[in-house]
Amino acid sequence: MSRSSFSPHASDDGVSTTSRRSKSETSVAIESPAFEAEVAAAAPALSGAALTAAIAFVAGTGFTLFGYDQGVMSALLTAKQFEDVFPQVIVDNAHPNHATLQSFVVAIYEIGCLIGALSNLWVGDWLGRRRTIVLGGIIMIIGAILQTTSFSYAQLVVARIITGLGNGLNTSTVPSYHAECSPAARRGSLIMIEGSLITFGIMISYWIDFAFFWISGSSAQWRVPIALQIVLAIIMIIGIFFLPESPRWLAKHGRNAEALAVISALDGKPYTDPDVQQTYHGIREAIAAEAHFGSDASPLREVFTNGRSQNFRRAFLGVVVQCFQQITGINLITYYATLLFERLGIDDVKSRIIAAANGTEYFLASLIAIFLIDRVGRRPLMLFGAVGQTITMVLLAVLGSIDTSGTQLASAVLLFVFNSFFAVGWLGMTWLYPAEIVGLRIRAPANAFSTASNWTFNFMVVMVTGPSFNNISWGTYIVFAALNAFIIPVVYFFFPETAGRSLEDMDVVFALAYNEGVSPVKVSLRKDVPPAGSPEADEILGITGRDGSVREDAPREKEA
């Protein structure tokens, strides 16, 4: 696409000429006939609520696929036909060492996800959000086909790595894409819907596993449940072709008319509307500030810089919050629900029914967060979840040490309770928060790192859970109780609030904290922080001086 007269032309100091103009001058520039024609030509087919719903549907399909793939192995590990093809997963007195092989075939999926997430460091900004999601979906389909047709343990392991590769690409891209296409006032609830759809996928996989459990005379007992994820991947791939690219990604790559057209469509307002202009200018000025005051390094290297942008600090928060999600211990339930209930002395069929009911309750509990996230905020929900999870793990350890029929029943109930606390406080939060907390220039590599953190600790938890229960039994719950308790003070002292602020507003929050030498947590809780795109925000970001003139003396960001 040709560039309009509004396309930025960098001056010697690195600031685009458009960032030097007043708002009124810019408004005149963008109303030129040529630029207006470009905006009209780039307008998406959908707009307003219809476009927002379509984006939520496609992003939600991606996370339903994610949840389905996480949960589908839970009941298959002890399915007769699965054990016949893969005897390496049978754990009994004759094969005690098979606990490691059983954990490995489950956990190796996380290694694929890790590789996929890290590959987004290079392909994410190059391909764009939409094409990266398509690529991830195609790879997942290939992996699912290979899993479905597996006849050896080695093939299943390789196939799960490939499936994970595609899922890693998707989980490090979809939250950013959805966040960048969502209004600040509803961004939290929209992305928390994705979290709920993870549990929806888990729930579906549990019930499908249970339905096919009765086909004990055919390998369809496990092949069909694994193959069904292909349907979700196809829906996601087809759906993404009807959606626009992220306006932040478009603006970052100089496709300004397209960016403005998408913002206008997302808001359901003309591109000349003041709210649309405010969002557009906030994005452009954030890009100008990052280009001028950042280093000449690539976005990947800029992750490791601090200064006014606080890139390293913000990226590290994303990495930590994803780590925290995994060390809560949620995936010892998600991946091993059926086995956990069997360890409580519940028979094979009832264990599968209770595991499926557990997944259903998990999904229903996750809906609560959708209504609370933008009203209560991010920090209170994270703290609520961590406190509840700590108490639940302590109780599970105590009951496990007593081990009577009554305590086994209580333990089964507590696994439901733990899921509820997690669903409200941490399920969708760790896909929302990393996308909100970092700046546009480093968003793709920062989210690749944060998602890689998720999969690294996911692998660790899933890999050690089987051997841990075999060796220290209920002591495993004590370990997770301590880890959950550790989360509480870290969130309270170091995690800024992001509710109610645009993605560009967070640049202002961190810059103001840097300028004043105070904690970003304190600044994030203040009500006097000017919105991105305003003259006051420009001054805080260092784009202009106190007299409104563009600063020429801004230092480069310092290495972390």
Side-chain angles (χ1 to χ4, degrees), residues 293-308:
F293 302 123
S295 68
D296 295 325
S298 66
L300 175 56
R301 290 191 61 187
E302 287 200 25
V303 169
F304 301 98
T305 62
N306 265 316
R308 183 181 276 107

Side-chain angles (χ1 to χ4, degrees), residues 210-521:
F210 179 66
F212 280 86
F213 168 72
W214 302 101
I215 309 176
S216 57
S218 168
S219 63
Q221 184 185 48
W222 64 270
R223 294 188 193 276
V224 173
I226 289 177
L228 285 176
Q229 64 188 281
I230 296 172
V231 176
L232 293 170
I234 291 173
I235 292 172
M236 180 185 69
I237 292 170
I238 293 174
I240 201 72
F241 283 107
F242 294 93
L243 301 179
E245 182 55 86
S246 156
R248 269 90 178 173
W249 185 85
L250 291 169
K252 181 180 177 182
H253 288 78
R255 295 161 64 173
N256 302 301
E258 293 175 74
L260 186 56
V262 174
I263 295 169
S264 173
L266 289 168
D267 284 359
K269 299 174 181 177
Y271 79 89
T272 53
D273 184 88
D275 291 337
V276 174
Q277 290 293 310
Q278 178 77 14
T279 301
Y280 179 67
H281 286 300
I283 294 171
R284 293 295 312 283
E285 287 167 8
I287 295 169
E290 290 174 342
H292 182 45
F293 302 123
S295 68
D296 295 325
S298 66
L300 175 56
R301 290 191 61 187
E302 287 200 25
V303 169
F304 301 98
T305 62
N306 265 316
R308 183 181 276 107
S309 67
Q310 294 289 283
N311 285 338
F312 181 74
R313 180 176 189 149
R314 297 162 74 179
F316 189 66
L317 284 171
V319 169
V320 171
V321 77
Q322 288 278 25
C323 162
F324 281 177
Q325 185 195 58
Q326 294 308 311
I327 65 174
T328 61
I330 183 60
N331 277 327
L332 72 88
I333 301 174
T334 301
Y335 284 97
Y336 298 107
T338 303
L339 285 171
L340 286 176
F341 290 120
E342 288 180 357
R343 285 192 177 102
L344 293 174
I346 301 170
D347 68 52
D348 201 24
V349 174
K350 288 180 181 177
S351 291
R352 283 169 162 75
I353 294 173
I354 296 173
N358 179 266
T360 303
E361 188 275 338
Y362 189 17
F363 167 63
L364 295 175
S366 71
L367 299 177
I368 298 171
I370 297 172
F371 300 100
L372 294 180
I373 185 69
D374 286 318
R375 294 175 175 84
V376 175
R378 283 51 162 166
R379 283 164 49 85
L381 287 187
M382 283 191 275
L383 291 169
F384 168 79
V387 170
Q389 290 157 197
T390 301
I391 295 171
T392 306
M393 283 293 182
V394 169
L395 292 175
L396 281 167
V398 172
L399 294 174
S401 67
I402 299 172
D403 195 25
T404 65
S405 59
T407 59
Q408 288 174 349
L409 176 61
S411 295
V413 172
L414 284 174
L415 291 175
F416 282 75
V417 173
F418 182 89
N419 274 2
S420 299
F421 279 116
F422 180 85
V424 173
W426 286 89
L427 175 63
M429 188 72 69
T430 49
W431 302 104
L432 167 66
Y433 199 78
E436 292 183 316
I437 202 70
V438 298
L440 174 60
R441 184 169 171 82
I442 66 162
R443 189 164 292 137
N447 281 331
F449 279 126
S450 66
T451 308
S453 168
N454 179 288
W455 295 117
T456 300
F457 287 94
N458 195 329
F459 173 79
M460 180 192 74
V461 170
V462 176
M463 191 67 208
V464 304
T465 294
S468 178
F469 272 107
N470 271 0
N471 288 284
I472 62 173
S473 186
W474 54 266
T476 304
Y477 293 123
I478 295 178
V479 175
F480 285 110
L483 291 171
N484 277 283
F486 171 73
I487 291 171
I488 298 168
V490 176
V491 169
Y492 184 83
F493 289 108
F494 297 105
F495 280 55
E497 182 58 70
T498 60
R501 301 189 187 278
S502 73
L503 300 180
E504 289 67 42
D505 285 344
M506 294 311 299
D507 294 333
V508 182
V509 167
F510 278 92
L512 184 58
Y514 176 80
N515 294 344
E516 296 181 355
V518 298
S519 167
V521 175

